[in-house]
Amino acid sequence: QKEYESLTIHTNIADQINSKMKVPEFMDSLTTEQGILLGESGSTVMDFIEAQIGKQEPIDKVMRLLCLECLIHKGLKQKQFDFFRREIIQTYGYEEVFLLSNLERAGLFYKQETRSNWSTLDKKFKIINEDVNVQNPDDLSYVYSGYSPLGVKILDMDKNFGWKGMTELLELLPGPTVPPNTPVSMSKP
């Protein structure tokens, strides 16, 4: 009886996921996300995001794409940044200024100051795998449709090569590098 209930719940969840994935808007958004990850920054991506704003799609979907674009390409060009900021405020209302400000402070939505090193990170960490073996998966990227989250890749490389073998690679990432098992002080300055 419990197995039947569990099977029914899982089947219902799978049906709901499947129905969401069949919606053309979902596939368009997924394709755009994958395009950003593959380095296809340009008019196609920006036009899609602009169209999402024009259709007044939920702000979280729009900001997810803009933040992903910023993280992958080290920000938006000044003109793009100002344009999207203005469009979001005009379309969704002035109350979104707080959202934009908070995302800027968090380092998720910002202007481009230097060139992106995404292609270097992708090559060194092998983040994107376009040749995923679906029949016999042998890479973490199988789970994420050809993309391996950087944090997962770092943990996998640590397991295989050790922390010292990765120091050169870790220096490509922003922020300080702290080896595992290093005591961290939690006191405020």
Side-chain angles (χ1 to χ4, degrees), residues 95-107:
E95 52 276 342
E96 297 306 336
V97 168
F98 298 112
L99 171 67
L100 295 171
S101 177
N102 287 338
L103 289 172
E104 280 181 67
R105 276 190 302 197

Side-chain angles (χ1 to χ4, degrees), residues 20 25 28 52-53 73 92 116 122 142 151 186:
K20 295 274 186 196
E25 290 82 11
D28 291 343
Q52 295 296 327
I53 294 170
H73 297 103
Y92 296 99
S116 170
D122 181 25
Y142 169 75
M186 300 303 265

